[in-house]
């Protein structure tokens, strides 16, 4: 990871990330679970999209309490996905096609089934005791009153030693103690082990949470969002830890890193990614993903003013300047499908999916596309709780029903915000389960696979897939899309996003009508030539049709 940030050119600024949720991509052996051989079989398809970097959600050994974000062995492949030989073959096939592979590094916590934790819980003087946070209770209760992200408290009582251990997420995800230099060395060793295998980088899960406020103060009535900013994230030693990790491992390799985590705000984005920091190459800023949540978080969804989306990109762009870098994304395995959340997934699904892809591929930052977005996959309505799989939704349901919420209301909220929306099987064709598996899928396929699928898209001329390929090619052909200065040309408009990208290589104006409404709109540049649009050119250039997206080149 050479520290070539700022305006200097490098592959990870020009690349396009394609995210694969391994469980849901393609099942090669009929057990209902996507696997590594399945990914290998689809690499030609992935290559055909014009993307460059595959980001794979965790595939390590894991009891799957949180679908792999609970790792029990950092150097083993979960047998449901295949073997280490399959992995090596996959990596080779990826590289053969000129693609790269990012792995997900989950080192804020491990699984409670990791050997370290099994040892740690045995006794207070076990050599692994300090790999985790153990604290005594206070007057018959836990050490403090902090809420866990997936419900309940962050402290779990353990009988064996009569103490509590810390877990910001589920109780099967105990937090690793980064204060312990031995633990930090273990992580460096794991990173080097994978990099020596030849992978091309990491997405670092909740990296903003690895340093704790060790006094664990009592928090009064704070929401989860407030807990993130005040206590859980950006702890006192976080930068020291990330810098040490970089120094001892990443800096010796030409790989990329993208850091994820709540509360990485605009004010501190460059502390993580600034070119002289010796930390990360880029971040996934999450604030837009949380922007329409109410005080009760994810399952308290509200609506979002389009101006907020514009402001998010504008302000992050200004904040990072020429120093840091970000990835541009509108969904991932944690947040609803972008076309359902930011577009219109019924009347204008095709138009709005294309508009959102246009936005992703013309902003400043490395685009990250979640599998299925290239065909406009949508949220799913499964209707009853026994059909949902995600721990976060299941825990929410239990608590909500316990507090008196009706089943219908709880399901409604899960249908809007739950993470299973973005984890349904990839829709390859119109056969049973969308051609994802010949068996019974681990999570039901979205019934709309009957019409919405890759095969249909491949044969459609004006499909979303063809448009996506056109857009990736456009981005590749024009370096101004990677490096050009971004300027929001109309910050005040309630739903039209008009911006330019400009450098010595080119000058482009992008116009996006983020609305169901026909919108009269006068363009600011007159010497323009229309290059790409999600509609056939109309007679009236000064009127934007619903979800119309246009890219002009300016002379
Ligand atoms: O979705 C959230 C809360 O409802 C976020 O706070 C989310 O938990 C946060 O973005 C961290 O996500 C990552 O770490 C989690 C894992 O469940 C997610 O899948 C992962 O992306 C714990 O490892
Ligand atoms: Ca399988």
């Amino acid at each position: 990871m050479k520290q070539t940030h700022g305006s200097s050119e490098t592959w990870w600024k020009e690349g396009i990330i394609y995210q694969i949720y391994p469980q849901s991509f393609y099942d090669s052996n009929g057990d209902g679970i996507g696997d590594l051989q399945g990914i290998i079989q689809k690499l030609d398809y992935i290559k055909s999209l014009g993307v460059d970097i595959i980001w794979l959600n965790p595939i390590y050994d894991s009891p799957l309490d949180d679908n792999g974000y609970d790792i029990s062995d950092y150097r083993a492949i979960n047998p449901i996905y295949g073997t280490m030989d399959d992995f090596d073959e996959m990596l080779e096939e990826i590289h053969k096609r000129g693609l790269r592979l990012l792995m997900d590094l989950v080192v804020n916590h491990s699984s409670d089934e990791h050997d370290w934790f099994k040892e740690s819980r045995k006794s207070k003087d076990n050599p692994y005791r300090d790999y985790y946070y153990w604290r005594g209770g206070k007057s018959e209760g836990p050490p403090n009153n902090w809420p866990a992200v997936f419900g309940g408290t962050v402290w779990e009582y353990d009988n064996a030693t009569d103490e509590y251990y810390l877990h910001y997420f589920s109780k099967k995800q105990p937090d690793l103690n980064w204060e312990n230099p031995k633990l930090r060395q273990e992580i460096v060793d794991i990173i080097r082990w994978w990099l020596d295998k030849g992978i091309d980088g990491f997405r670092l899960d909740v990296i903003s949470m690895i340093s704790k406020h060790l006094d664990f103060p009592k928090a009064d009535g704070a929401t989860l969002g407030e807990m993130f900013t005040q206590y859980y994230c950006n702890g006192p030693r976080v930068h020291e830890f990330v810098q040490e990790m970089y120094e001892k491992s990443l800096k010796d390799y030409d790989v990329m890193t993208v850091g994820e985590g709540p509360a990485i705000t605009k004010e501190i984005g460059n502390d993580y990614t600034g070119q002289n920091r010796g930390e990360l190459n880029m971040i996934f800023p999450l604030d837009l993903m949380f922007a329409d949540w109410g005080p009760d978080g994810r399952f308290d969804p509200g609506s979002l003013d389009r101006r907020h989306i514009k402001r998010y990109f504008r302000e992050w762009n200004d904040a990072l300047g020429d120093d840091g870098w970000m990835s541009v994304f509108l969904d991932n395995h944690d947040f609803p499908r972008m076309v359902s959340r930011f577009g219109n997934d019924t009347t204008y699904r095709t138009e709005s999916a294309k508009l959102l892809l246009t936005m992703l591929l013309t902003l400043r930052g490395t685009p990250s596309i979640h599998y299925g977005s290239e065909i406009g996959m949508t949220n799913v309505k499964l209707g009853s709780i026994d059909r949902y799989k995600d721990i976060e939704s299941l825990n929410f349901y239990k608590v909500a029903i316990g507090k008196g919420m009706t089943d219908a209301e709880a399901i409604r909220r899960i249908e809007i915000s739950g993470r299973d929306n973005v984890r349904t099987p990839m829709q390859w064709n119109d056969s049973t389960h969308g051609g994802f598996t010949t068996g019974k899928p681990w999570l039901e396929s979205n019934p709309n696979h009957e019409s919405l699928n890759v095969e249909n898209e491949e044969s459609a001329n004006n499909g979303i897939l063809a448009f996506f390929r056109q857009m990736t090619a456009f981005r590749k052909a024009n370096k101004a899309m990677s490096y050009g200065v971004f300027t929001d040309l109309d910050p005040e408009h309630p739903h039209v996003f008009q911006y330019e990208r400009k450098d010595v290589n080119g000058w482009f104006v992008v116009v996006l009508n983020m609305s169901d409404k026909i919108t009269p709109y006068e363009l600011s540049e007159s010497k323009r030539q229309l290059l790409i649009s999600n509609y056939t050119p109309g007679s009236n250039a000064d009127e934007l049709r619903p979800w119309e997206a246009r890219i002009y080149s300016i002379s």
Side-chain angles (χ1 to χ4, degrees), residues 18 24-25 45 48-49 331 337-340 344-345 348-354 357 360 369-379 424-430 434 445-446 448-460 462-469:
Y18 186 74
S24 305
F25 198 59
Y45 168 76
S48 81
L49 299 175
D331 61 9
R337 281 281 176 189
M338 67 179 191
V339 69
S340 301
N344 174 332
D345 67 3
Y348 297 110
R349 187 184 66 87
T350 302
E351 292 80 2
S352 64
K354 289 179 182 176
L357 291 170
L360 285 175
I369 282 68
H370 193 53
Y371 79 96
S373 284
E374 73 273 28
I375 55 168
M377 275 175 62
T378 67
N379 279 355
T424 56
M426 178 66 177
Q427 298 169 198
W428 296 105
N429 56 45
D430 63 5
S445 177
N446 192 321
N448 66 13
H449 69 251
E450 285 180 14
S451 57
L452 195 178
N453 59 61
V454 172
E455 212 171 273
N456 275 356
E457 284 284 332
E458 289 285 10
S459 55
N462 289 317
I464 300 167
L465 185 57
F467 186 82
F468 180 63
R469 288 182 174 133

Side-chain angles (χ1 to χ4, degrees), residues 56-300:
L56 206 53
N57 290 100
I59 52 169
Y60 318 90
D61 216 355
S62 160
L64 300 179
D65 184 57
D66 183 19
N67 272 358
Y69 283 93
D70 48 321
I71 298 170
S72 52
D73 185 346
Y74 288 93
R75 292 183 181 81
I77 303 295
N78 191 324
I80 63 171
Y81 300 128
T83 62
M84 195 56 85
D85 283 345
D86 293 322
F87 177 85
D88 293 340
E89 184 187 338
M90 179 183 73
L91 184 59
E92 203 185 313
E93 293 296 324
I94 285 173
H95 286 161
K96 240 189 234 171
R97 287 165 179 80
L99 299 167
R100 308 199 200 223
L101 179 66
L102 282 192
M103 299 276 284
D104 217 315
L105 189 69
V106 190
V107 286
N108 172 69
H109 43 267
S110 73
S111 163
D112 65 338
E113 297 182 32
H114 194 291
D115 283 341
W116 297 335
F117 191 76
K118 289 186 193 159
E119 286 298 317
S120 184
R121 78 193 321 172
K122 279 183 183 161
S123 66
K124 289 184 182 168
D125 55 8
N126 187 283
Y128 289 91
R129 187 67 171 178
D130 289 337
Y131 273 44
Y132 298 87
Y133 295 98
W134 292 96
R135 293 289 186 277
K138 282 200 178 132
S139 56
E140 304 292 301
N144 70 13
N145 62 347
W146 290 4
V149 178
F150 296 152
T153 136
V154 298
W155 298 103
E156 180 72 8
Y157 178 72
D158 203 46
N159 246 328
T161 53
D162 187 32
E163 282 193 335
Y164 293 79
Y165 64 86
L166 179 77
H167 63 89
Y168 280 172
F169 293 88
S170 97
K171 64 179 181 201
K172 286 184 68 65
Q173 294 168 294
D175 281 55
L176 289 163
N177 178 8
W178 280 67
E179 302 290 326
N180 181 350
K182 274 200 217 139
L183 181 272
R184 300 205 299 274
Q185 187 58 45
E186 299 266 16
I187 288 165
V188 162
D189 294 345
I190 290 166
I191 292 175
R192 295 197 79 103
W193 191 85
W194 282 101
L195 294 181
D196 288 341
K197 254 187 178 299
I199 69 160
D200 303 287
F202 289 105
R203 174 252 189 203
L204 295 104
D205 189 58
V206 285
I207 199 66
S208 56
M209 296 172 110
I210 59 174
S211 162
K212 316 300 191 212
H213 288 278
L214 298 171
D215 47 343
F216 296 112
K218 186 162 180 270
D220 287 309
T223 64
L224 194 57
E226 287 161 354
M227 291 304 294
F228 282 146
T229 12
Q230 284 172 33
Y231 302 108
Y232 299 170
C233 302
N234 309 311
R237 297 183 71 188
V238 66
H239 295 294
E240 179 195 335
F241 293 158
V242 177
Q243 283 166 14
E244 183 190 89
M245 177 174 72
Y246 172 77
E247 256 325 292
K248 293 190 171 171
S249 59
L250 296 157
K251 97 170 190 305
D252 300 333
Y253 302 80
D254 179 24
V255 295
M256 68 166 268
T257 52
V258 45
E260 187 254 13
I264 301 182
T265 58
K266 291 182 274 284
E267 291 70 34
I268 58 167
N270 278 345
D271 292 350
Y272 286 94
T273 73
Q275 52 188 324
N276 298 318
R277 295 288 298 178
E279 297 197 21
L280 306 170
N281 291 132
M282 65 182 93
I283 41 174
F284 282 128
L286 291 179
D287 37 332
L288 180 63
M289 295 293 111
F290 298 161
D292 55 1
W293 295 1
D296 288 336
R298 169 187 299 276
F299 298 105
D300 182 12

